[in-house]
Amino acid sequence: MPSTHSTALTFYFIYLLPFALSTSKLSATGRATATAAGLGLPTPLSLVAASGLIAYWSAGLWSRKELGYHTWEQVFGGAAYGTILALGWKAAWKAYPAIGEGLQYLIDTVWRTVIG
């Protein structure tokens, strides 16, 4: 049985890593500033964010084995499954933009109902 922790951690890792490595930095006016981003390079802050994400992900996968909950095969199986799910979700999101609009409406409705 693949590790569901590894699946979830990898899903978020694959899905969030591009955001962590985002090279665009917006000024207060909403325009891209002339930083390393202008050269297409990751900013120092984005490298720190990506490093933290990588550390969190790898520690989570390592803990599954070290705590005795799973074998390495189960951990890597969960990671592979999480990768497939993340890439599939990204592909569906890009192919059908209405998914995002519908989900955002649902999230907003639930938020207003629960939080007020």
Side-chain angles (χ1 to χ4, degrees):
M1 180 63 133
S3 165
T4 55
H5 283 89
S6 297
T7 300
L9 283 169
T10 303
F11 178 93
Y12 290 120
F13 174 74
I14 297 294
Y15 203 80
L16 294 176
L17 189 61
F19 294 112
L21 288 173
S22 175
T23 59
S24 63
K25 181 178 179 183
L26 298 180
S27 66
T29 62
R31 294 190 174 150
T33 59
T35 63
L39 301 173
L41 301 172
T43 62
L45 183 58
S46 68
L47 292 176
V48 169
S51 297
L53 187 61
I54 291 167
Y56 183 77
W57 172 71
S58 45
L61 268 59
W62 173 81
S63 75
R64 300 290 87 208
K65 168 67 171 125
E66 290 304 310
L67 292 173
Y69 294 124
H70 294 284
T71 65
W72 282 120
E73 291 81 7
Q74 292 170 326
V75 170
F76 292 130
Y81 188 51
T83 299
I84 291 167
L85 291 173
L87 296 176
W89 180 247
K90 275 189 176 184
W93 191 274
K94 286 182 179 182
Y96 305 101
I99 292 173
E101 296 166 9
L103 283 176
Q104 189 61 54
Y105 175 77
L106 178 63
I107 291 167
D108 291 342
T109 302
V110 170
W111 184 265
R112 278 191 306 273
T113 303
V114 173
I115 303 299

